[in-house]
Amino acid sequence: MTSPRIYRLTSIGRPLEPDYPTNRTVLWLLAVAALLGGLNWVQAHGAGPGMLGAAVNAVLAAFGGWALARELAPDHERTAFVALGCALATTLILEGSPVLPLFVALFLVRIVNRSVGLPARISDSILVSVLAIGAAWLFDSSWLALLAALAFMIDAVLPPGLTRQRLFTGLCAVAAFLLFTAESQAPADFMPATAVERWLPVVIAVGFVIVILLTRRVDACGDATGEPLSLARVRAGMWVGLFVAAQSLLGGPEDVRNLALVWATLAGTALHRPLPA
């Protein structure tokens, strides 16, 4: 278990403590990600101020992919490194995919599965609500706010439920409705979808659904409590992560590209064998 000091402030924060060998490996890989992100920018655009932004984006993509995979498959540390590589490769190929949806997915899953072992603090719920609604507004997708409402409702209903999450369920649902009514009804001027964008997300979704259905056992324990995680909550979190990515299929190719890092993380996470029941 990690130091309890952070849990006085948040129940969804998981510090990357270098005392653990896997965490030290992640820190080294993040340094490599920063280097690759900067070099990728230089190769495409030449040396300039954009190098720093590209490096930071690569680090956030790699870290977010690793962290989300640790939530989706808490018993499989190696899988998280595969997801890290997938997310990093995706952001390099697409020259900087948005990282906000990736972290929205991460925190929504963490609200549901309670990997720390503690229920979300009210400050956590406020922060996650703001992030989800902000992302929904920024990417013109009311579905993201609606999925945040779903995550809060799951946290309120699954035992031990947290009743106050119903308030945030309503808040995000209202925001989703307002965003939906404000969305432009004119056809979006999307770039044409490539063959990969048409079939790859579907393949990833099918593969990840199979992994969810095969997940019948979870041995991982909460960071703060040391108690085993709830199988029902872990599986519910997996569904939430999948839904965050899948809602992009309701839009055009640009929506899929905005969620590319979540799709890449799902692809990496799906490459593991669930523990036998």
Side-chain angles (χ1 to χ4, degrees):
M1 292 185 290
T2 55
S3 169
R5 287 178 296 179
I6 190 174
Y7 304 126
R8 298 172 187 171
L9 302 174
T10 176
S11 296
I12 61 172
R14 302 182 71 183
L16 191 63
E17 296 188 354
D19 294 339
Y20 297 91
T22 53
N23 288 356
R24 288 197 297 270
T25 302
V26 170
L27 291 173
W28 280 107
L29 291 175
L30 293 182
V32 173
L35 178 61
L36 292 177
L39 291 176
N40 190 62
W41 175 271
V42 171
Q43 183 181 19
H45 307 283
M51 290 172 53
L52 178 60
V56 171
N57 195 86
V59 169
L60 292 175
F63 175 74
W66 176 81
L68 178 56
R70 292 291 290 122
E71 302 299 323
L72 298 173
D75 287 319
H76 302 274
E77 291 185 349
R78 294 181 180 179
T79 298
F81 289 100
V82 178
L84 182 155
C86 290
L88 177 58
T90 298
T91 200
L92 294 177
I93 292 171
L94 298 180
E95 290 194 31
S97 302
V99 296
L100 180 57
L102 179 61
F103 284 90
V104 168
L106 168 63
F107 290 127
L108 289 180
V109 172
R110 202 170 279 178
I111 285 282
V112 172
N113 70 10
R114 297 189 187 176
S115 57
V116 170
L118 302 171
R121 290 176 173 268
I122 191 167
S123 56
D124 296 326
S125 299
I126 293 172
L127 173 63
V128 175
S129 297
V130 170
L131 284 176
I133 294 172
W137 172 77
L138 184 62
F139 296 105
D140 199 24
S141 174
S142 55
W143 285 102
L144 283 175
L146 190 61
L147 288 172
L150 174 64
F152 284 120
M153 178 55 70
I154 292 172
D155 192 35
V157 171
L158 282 183
L162 189 60
T163 304
R164 68 166 176 261
Q165 298 293 51
R166 297 177 186 272
L167 171 64
F168 295 97
T169 298
L171 174 65
C172 291
V174 169
F177 174 77
L178 294 176
L179 289 169
F180 176 77
T181 57
E183 287 175 2
S184 173
Q185 302 302 313
D189 186 20
F190 290 121
M191 296 174 61
T194 65
V196 172
E197 288 169 327
R198 284 194 295 268
W199 60 261
L200 185 56
V202 176
V203 172
I204 295 172
V206 171
F208 197 74
V209 167
I210 293 173
V211 170
I212 296 175
L213 297 178
L214 293 178
T215 299
R216 306 289 181 84
R217 169 183 153 200
V218 175
D219 290 345
C221 297
D223 295 346
T225 63
E227 298 179 358
L229 299 182
S230 162
L231 173 61
R233 283 186 170 274
V234 170
R235 293 185 69 181
M238 296 172 77
W239 282 112
V240 169
L242 176 60
F243 290 158
V244 170
Q247 59 84 25
S248 66
L249 298 176
L250 300 175
E254 191 66 24
D255 295 281
V256 175
R257 292 169 191 150
N258 287 337
L259 273 293
L261 293 178
V262 181
W263 282 115
T265 302
L266 293 180
T269 308
L271 298 176
H272 77 273
R273 180 180 299 178
L275 298 176

